[in-house]
């Protein structure tokens, strides 16, 4: 009889423990869901529910191989944008509970809506699937994508006939490009390597491997010291221009209410990075020191005629002609020069 009572008590305790564990996890899940849209700022404390804190002996948050017991949004662990984490809760009853969550970190300063006025239009070859776009003087250097037809080319603004072009092998899908002195650097999408060309002749000089942290090549620009590359995530990588396989540092990009990933074609101008967001009619103005989006252009009126014809004909070209921004897109028939107000 005594054994039956002990067994019954053990089963009851196990049932209560399981119910408590379920309550902790449900309470934590509700809290994380409520905070995902609201987000946090650096320095904010995670205000976890009382049900969780009262039943926890210890709580840590893990980020891949890193782990912290400090329930504060610390830049040592978190980046701007979305952070995939795991909560590890050791309960007072001796159980260890795990829950995955996404913690969004936003900037404190509101993103400024930037205005513009179209001041000129130029023809553009609609056969070109624009992946990289630069202007130097009146000469445009363009990286044209798609397997089997990828190339680097240059032509005069106002004309569509190339002065020079260099084709890539059939297996190459060209991506972002940028000018560095007398050279042009160009990324490839999934081949894990980039090319370096002579700017005058467009002859291929060398190749370079990507750093392991970059899964793909998307956009590319140059800040006068480092190459800056995007790989379709929220991250921008600063690469050693003399050895682009080496990452100098990286930043993650976000605004005050929105996380941005799929960062694409890039341009560096007067201390800021300008970035397209794939499949969105916007260009972000980004602080290169910390990844904060400080401004945003909405080019919906310009992009709509192209994307309504084909959803892949997206905005994907940024350059500067003096203080005017010059934009185009994939398979667009026009290039637009806009004055920033």
């Amino acid at each position: 009889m005594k054994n039956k009572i002990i067994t019954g008590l053990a089963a009851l305790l196990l049932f209560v423990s399981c119910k408590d564990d379920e309550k902790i996890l449900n309470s934590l899940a509700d809290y994380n869901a409520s905070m995902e849209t609201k987000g946090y700022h650096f320095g904010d404390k995670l205000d976890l529910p009382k049900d969780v804190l009262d039943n926890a002996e210890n709580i840590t948050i893990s980020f891949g191989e890193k782990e912290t017991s400090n329930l504060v949004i610390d830049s040592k662990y978190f980046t701007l944008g979305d952070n995939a984490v795991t909560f590890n809760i050791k309960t007072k009853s001796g159980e260890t509970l795990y829950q995955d969550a996404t913690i969004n970190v936003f900037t404190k300063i509101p993103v400024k809506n930037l205005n513009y006025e179209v001041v000129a239009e130029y023809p553009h070859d609609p056969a070109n699937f624009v992946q990289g776009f630069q202007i130097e003087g009146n000469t445009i250097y363009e990286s044209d994508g798609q397997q089997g037809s990828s190339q680097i080319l240059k032509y005069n603004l106002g004309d569509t006939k190339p002065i020079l072009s260099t084709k890539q092998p059939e297996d190459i899908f060209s991506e972002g490009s940028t000018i560095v002195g007398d050279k042009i650097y160009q990324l490839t999408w999934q081949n894990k390597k980039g090319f370096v060309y002579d700017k005058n002749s467009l002859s291929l000089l060398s190749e370079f491997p990507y750093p392991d942290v970059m899964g793909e090549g998307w956009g590319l620009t140059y800040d006068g010291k480092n190459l800056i590359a995007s790989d379709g995530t929220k991250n921008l990588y600063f690469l050693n221009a003399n050895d682009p396989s080496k990452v100098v540092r990286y930043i993650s990009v976000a605004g005050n209410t929105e996380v941005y990933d799929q960062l694409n074609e890039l341009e560096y101008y007067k201390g800021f990075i300008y970035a397209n967001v794939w499949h969105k009619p916007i260009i972000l103005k980004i602080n290169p020191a910390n990844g904060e989006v400080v401004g945003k252009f909405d080019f919906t009126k310009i992009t709509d005629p192209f994307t309504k014809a084909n959803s892949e004909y997206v905005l994907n070209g940024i350059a500067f002609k003096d203080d005017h921004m010059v934009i185009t897109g994939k398979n667009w028939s026009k290039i637009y020069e806009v004055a920033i107000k």
Side-chain angles (χ1 to χ4, degrees):
M1 182 68 175
K2 185 185 288 185
N3 288 339
K4 288 183 179 179
I5 293 172
I6 292 172
T7 301
L9 286 172
L12 179 62
L13 289 172
L14 180 61
F15 174 76
V16 171
S17 176
C18 289
K19 293 294 286 185
D20 286 344
D21 292 350
E22 184 180 354
K23 186 177 181 181
I24 291 169
L25 291 175
N26 287 341
S27 183
L28 182 60
D30 289 344
Y31 169 76
N32 284 328
S34 71
M35 291 302 297
E36 197 164 327
T37 301
K38 182 180 178 182
Y40 299 88
H41 302 109
F42 287 122
D44 287 354
K45 189 178 188 305
L46 276 71
D47 188 18
L48 299 184
K50 190 173 184 297
D51 288 342
V52 177
L53 296 176
D54 286 350
N55 290 284
E57 184 73 33
N58 184 53
I59 301 173
T60 64
I61 303 175
S62 57
F63 312 71
E65 297 178 355
K66 294 182 179 181
E67 189 170 1
T68 180
S69 59
N70 186 10
L71 301 181
V72 172
I73 304 301
D74 188 337
S75 59
K76 291 179 182 177
Y77 298 96
F78 294 88
T79 66
L80 285 175
D82 56 331
N83 294 262
V85 305
T86 300
F87 284 87
N88 313 292
I89 303 169
K90 185 177 180 181
T91 68
K92 291 178 179 178
S93 61
E95 300 291 327
T96 302
L97 309 178
Y98 304 96
Q99 188 172 101
D100 294 333
T102 298
I103 291 179
N104 288 323
V105 182
F106 299 129
T107 64
K108 290 184 178 180
I109 301 173
V111 175
K112 184 178 180 181
N113 291 317
L114 302 174
N115 298 315
Y116 64 90
E117 178 185 3
V118 177
V119 295
E121 296 181 10
Y122 308 93
H124 180 260
D125 188 344
N128 292 355
F129 195 77
V130 179
Q131 300 290 78
F133 187 72
Q134 298 84 43
I135 292 178
E136 194 173 75
N138 200 48
T139 304
I140 293 178
Y141 297 83
E142 188 171 296
S143 178
D144 179 18
Q146 300 285 32
Q147 284 182 324
S149 59
S150 285
Q151 61 180 332
I152 189 85
L153 65 154
K154 67 177 179 179
Y155 56 92
N156 290 323
L157 182 63
D159 197 359
T160 59
K161 184 178 180 181
I163 301 168
L164 285 172
S165 64
T166 298
K167 300 286 186 181
Q168 269 84 57
E170 292 289 312
D171 67 325
I172 295 295
F173 194 122
S174 295
E175 285 283 346
S177 59
T178 193
I179 297 170
V180 180
D182 60 355
K183 298 180 178 66
I184 297 176
Y185 287 68
Q186 182 191 43
L187 300 180
T188 62
W189 180 28
Q190 294 179 322
N191 295 80
K192 296 287 287 184
K193 66 179 180 181
F195 299 114
V196 182
Y197 301 90
D198 177 85
K199 186 178 71 177
N200 295 318
S201 65
L202 295 189
S203 58
L204 181 63
L205 300 176
S206 61
E207 300 180 1
F208 59 89
Y210 289 171
D212 291 339
V213 70
M214 283 180 57
E216 298 179 347
W218 284 45
L220 190 67
T221 190
Y222 179 61
D223 66 2
K225 182 179 180 181
N226 296 308
L227 297 169
I228 306 171
S230 64
D231 64 349
T233 66
K234 66 174 182 176
N235 296 328
L236 297 177
Y237 302 94
F238 291 70
L239 310 178
N240 186 324
N242 296 318
D243 183 358
S245 64
K246 294 181 179 178
V247 176
V248 177
R249 66 184 180 96
Y250 80 94
I251 55 175
S252 298
V253 174
N256 67 313
T257 61
E258 191 170 352
V259 172
Y260 295 101
D261 62 359
Q262 296 190 322
L263 301 174
N264 206 353
E265 215 268 329
L266 307 173
E267 182 72 12
Y268 182 88
Y269 186 71
K270 289 191 174 181
F272 291 94
I273 301 167
Y274 294 81
N276 285 127
V277 180
W278 189 44
H279 278 287
K280 290 190 176 182
I282 61 174
I283 290 177
L284 307 177
K285 183 180 181 180
I286 301 164
N287 184 341
N290 53 20
E292 291 186 355
V293 177
V294 298
K296 179 172 69 174
F297 293 91
D298 184 345
F299 287 109
T300 300
K301 290 181 180 180
I302 291 177
T303 62
D304 265 0
F306 300 103
T307 55
K308 285 180 178 178
N310 187 313
S311 62
E312 295 304 313
Y313 291 0
V314 294
L315 178 67
N316 203 47
I318 313 168
F320 278 87
K321 184 174 180 283
D322 298 322
D323 283 333
H324 288 180
M325 183 185 287
V326 181
I327 63 170
T328 190
K330 299 178 181 182
N331 299 114
W332 284 21
S333 59
K334 290 184 179 181
I335 295 170
Y336 297 88
E337 181 179 343
V338 302
I340 300 170
K341 293 184 176 180

